[in-house]
Amino acid sequence: AAGGAQIAVGSADGYPAVWRQAPGSTSWALVSSLSVASGFPGLSALTSVTHGPAGWLAVGEPGPVVLTSADGTTWQREGQITSDLSAASELATAANTSGYVIAADMTGSGDGGTAGLWWSRDLTSWTREASMNDTDGAGQVLAIGADAHEFMAVGSDGGHPAVWTTTDAQDWTTIKLGLPPGSIATVIQSAD
């Protein structure tokens, strides 16, 4: 929610879909246009949405699917980041005043199983964050959350549950957690 409006994402008839509830309203309206949604091959869905300083960002898969909107009503495809995210899965996004982060599981991309985080201040240019790739084994990021001061990504690193944190979305600290007794591999799948 932002400015009283709420956004929900998912799929409609196999296409990525965005619904909006206007401030003070109790009804929802589909606001994603077929011309934008039908540009993605095969069945796809949006899995995560966030609001930040430049507007809304929604991501999904397969594809990847990346849509942006300044006002939550008119949505367009974001082209630059989609080639970087090809073969990524488990896309999620979060935002705060420092910008936007897209988290992705890169294990199927031929990228050595490294976790993937991309940052943008304004939704126009994206940088892959390499500072969090100091993993000592196959790493994956499965979820991300943010508050006003910090981003937190979660997943696994070398079979251990892992958390990555940052205050600026650019310099990440890896926190590798211990395995529960009797476990040989563990992963964290949700961040709030």
Side-chain angles (χ1 to χ4, degrees), residues 108-148:
S109 70
D111 199 9
T114 60
L117 294 172
W118 284 262
W119 174 75
S120 176
R121 180 176 307 283
D122 55 11
L123 297 177
T124 59
S125 62
W126 293 89
T127 304
R128 182 158 185 190
E129 297 311 316
S131 67
M132 56 77 60
N133 284 326
D134 57 355
T135 61
D136 60 6
Q140 59 181 339
V141 172
L142 298 177
I144 189 161
D147 64 17

Side-chain angles (χ1 to χ4, degrees), residues 6-192:
Q6 296 186 68
I7 300 291
V9 298
S11 68
D13 295 326
Y15 294 109
V18 180
W19 291 267
R20 181 178 184 268
Q21 183 182 51
S25 175
T26 59
S27 63
W28 289 81
L30 181 67
V31 294
S32 52
S33 68
L34 185 58
S35 63
V36 170
S38 65
F40 298 98
L43 300 177
S44 55
L46 292 166
T47 56
S48 183
V49 65
T50 191
H51 184 268
W56 296 91
L57 170 66
V59 298
E61 57 188 273
V65 180
V66 182
L67 301 178
T68 61
S69 174
D71 59 9
T73 302
T74 305
W75 291 81
Q76 57 277 332
R77 293 169 64 174
E78 210 301 336
Q80 178 202 348
I81 189 66
T82 55
S83 63
D84 293 337
L85 292 171
S86 62
S89 62
E90 306 291 334
L91 273 70
T93 187
N96 65 18
T97 56
S98 66
Y100 302 80
V101 174
I102 295 176
D105 178 8
M106 302 301 291
T107 55
S109 70
D111 199 9
T114 60
L117 294 172
W118 284 262
W119 174 75
S120 176
R121 180 176 307 283
D122 55 11
L123 297 177
T124 59
S125 62
W126 293 89
T127 304
R128 182 158 185 190
E129 297 311 316
S131 67
M132 56 77 60
N133 284 326
D134 57 355
T135 61
D136 60 6
Q140 59 181 339
V141 172
L142 298 177
I144 189 161
D147 64 17
H149 308 288
E150 186 175 48
F151 286 93
M152 179 181 71
V154 298
S156 69
D157 176 17
H160 288 258
V163 176
W164 293 269
T165 62
T166 182
T167 56
D168 64 4
Q170 297 170 73
D171 295 312
W172 293 80
T173 300
T174 302
I175 304 164
K176 192 169 171 179
L177 306 176
L179 291 171
S183 298
I184 58 170
T186 310
V187 63
I188 301 173
Q189 296 181 325
S190 182
D192 260 336

